[in-house]
Amino acid sequence: MDIHLPFIPDSFTSGSQSLIHPLAIGSLAVSNNVALAPMAGTSDTVYRAICREMGAGLVVTELVSARGICYDPDLKRSWRYLEITPEAERPVAIQLFGADPDDFYRAILRIHEHPVLRQCDLIDLNMGCPVAKVVRGGEGSALMKDPPLAGRIIEASIRALAEIAAAGADTGPFSGSGTASVTKPLTVKFRKGWDDQSVNAPEFARLCQEAGAAAVTIHARTRDQFYSGKADWSIIAAVKQAVTIPVYGNGDVVDAPSARRMLQETGVDGLMIGRAAQGNPWIFQEITAELANLPKNGPGPFLGKPTPQARAAMIVRHLHGLVARVGERTAVAEMRAQLAYYLRGTPQAAHWKNIAMRAKTVTEVEAFLADWLLEMQHLVEN
Ligand SMILES: Cc1cc2nc3c(=O)[nH]c(=O)nc-3n(C[C@H](O)[C@H](O)[C@H](O)COP(=O)(O)O)c2cc1C
């Protein structure tokens, strides 16, 4: 798959007025500061490549269990979550979760023994997942309640990355990893805190920096909030003030105006976009163009809503990407959920989603899209 980046002229990305700019995350140069957030069930390798092509500067895998990797010698079970497509999606981060520093150490070594996975550009540590079965084991956002353990996990992970770099490019299990002698950066994603009584994101960010993280992402909600309520952007500003490493702000960026507001109100270095990017890869075109102050009517990227034809073509492309990866049956089942996102905000979306949910084959999805397009055309004409 071709990556048409950068579609924003350099004169825009480097201009002092532009809110879009490259980011240096440790040794890694990222072309712009708008990233796709990790999302289990959505941000797989197919969708990440699409979002990169649409302008996301960085993409992240969904969370993958560090212990799971340690107990999966051929990485067969973890592969669905770990898979990356280096030629189509770099720079890409692999996100790990767990609670035992040794698991992270071993998982990172294991990843870098693999000919494809070793080409990831970053390792990201999940310290923000709110899900009960994750926090029950002391993982995800539970680590915000145990900063010393979080620090040991970061240090163990960095030790693994340093050993990989020291192993060199010429020989040894890590040869060709592209990381020789330069330590691959490590990043951490966390929340505002566990609950309103224990907000500790700024201190936690400092701990990450002191333990060696090259950047952090702050999702501006507590664990108790899960995904509800408003994200508190003031905590993003506080985290930015607390550290000198780059900070990605996350939570409630839904379009170009909110992207601009988050950057201006918090002074944060970059943005990470989650739910608003589900079924809406165009959001990266919209936001990167707007932040670069590209003229609205000038030549360059598409700035409005996708046409029904563009939407249908993207769905077909996404579906075929999944089929090539996981086979028709699973691909169609997975695509049904994504289809609901793609149809969000279109006329009679609930009605059409119900019909889409019945599709079991690629042919049925394509027939559904043909009917849907006809109806959209009909609505436009009448
Ligand atoms: C369905 C779903 C899955 C998610 N999976 C992950 C994950 O695997 N790792 C992670 O760090 N965050 C995960 N998140 C959190 C998002 O990365 C992001 O922090 C959150 O959605 C807030 O950003 P938003 O307001 O832009 O959606 C997930 C969120 C959703 C909605």
Side-chain angles (χ1 to χ4, degrees), residues 12-205:
F12 285 104
T13 56
S14 59
S16 59
Q17 298 304 305
S18 174
L19 287 168
I20 188 134
H21 51 77
L23 269 187
I25 301 178
S27 55
L28 178 72
V30 175
S31 67
N32 76 50
N33 52 338
V34 183
L36 172 68
M39 277 180 292
T42 294
S43 66
D44 65 12
T45 185
V46 177
Y47 195 61
R48 294 193 306 266
I50 290 173
C51 290
R52 279 282 292 135
E53 194 177 317
M54 289 289 153
L58 176 69
V59 293
V60 190
T61 69
E62 66 180 73
L63 76 177
V64 189
S65 164
R67 178 157 291 182
I69 292 172
C70 297
Y71 289 97
D72 184 11
D74 49 12
L75 296 181
K76 273 218 175 91
R77 281 193 312 275
S78 316
W79 185 248
R80 265 194 80 198
Y81 314 108
L82 269 178
E83 181 182 6
I84 61 170
T85 314
E87 65 280 10
E89 58 171 304
R90 290 183 67 191
V92 56
I94 290 182
Q95 188 187 66
L96 300 176
F97 76 100
D100 181 340
D102 194 50
D103 287 344
F104 285 85
Y105 174 82
R106 291 195 295 142
I108 291 170
L109 293 187
R110 182 75 196 86
I111 284 169
H112 287 81
E113 284 163 3
H114 191 281
V116 175
L117 299 180
R118 67 168 51 151
Q119 294 177 62
C120 74
D121 298 277
L122 290 170
I123 297 293
D124 185 56
L125 304 184
N126 180 313
M127 300 199 181
C129 180
V131 173
K133 71 170 187 233
V134 170
V135 297
R136 215 179 288 130
E139 305 165 327
S141 56
L143 288 165
M144 293 199 74
K145 293 198 292 187
D146 191 347
L149 176 58
R152 287 200 300 281
I153 287 173
I154 296 169
E155 283 161 9
S157 302
I158 288 176
R159 199 166 64 248
L161 291 170
E163 283 177 22
I164 290 160
D170 304 328
T171 54
F174 308 117
S175 64
S177 67
T179 57
S181 74
V182 178
T183 303
K184 190 174 281 189
L186 181 109
T187 55
V188 187
K189 182 166 179 280
F190 54 87
R191 286 187 171 234
K192 176 179 175 180
W194 178 260
D195 59 20
D196 274 343
Q197 284 66 54
S198 59
V199 171
N200 62 345
E203 301 89 290
F204 202 79

